[in-house]
Amino acid sequence: MAKPIVDHELCIGCEICAELCPEVFEIRDEKSWVIGSDKCSTCNCEEAVESCPVGAIELEDE
């Protein structure tokens, strides 16, 4: 299973990922943080990756 990684240099804190996958992402200090990389089965992490307007999220194979 792939795990999400957030590039904090690119992240603009738009909150789209946290809205799509609240068990996986949260916004802290105006950046997205992965809080539950093992929870992608509860949402569509690929949609979060595709929806990020600056391409700050990747899915990395374990």
Side-chain angles (χ1 to χ4, degrees), residues 36-62:
S37 60
D38 60 332
K39 304 272 193 220
C40 277
S41 61
T42 66
C43 65
N44 186 349
C45 282
E46 288 183 23
E47 183 179 6
V49 171
E50 293 168 6
S51 297
C52 180
V54 294
I57 306 170
E58 293 181 13
L59 291 177
E60 185 176 273
D61 290 327
E62 292 185 278

Side-chain angles (χ1 to χ4, degrees), residues 7-25:
D7 182 336
H8 293 120
E9 294 291 319
L10 293 176
C11 180
I12 59 172
C14 70
E15 300 186 23
I16 292 172
C17 58
E19 290 173 12
L20 293 171
C21 295
E23 292 186 35
V24 178
F25 302 98

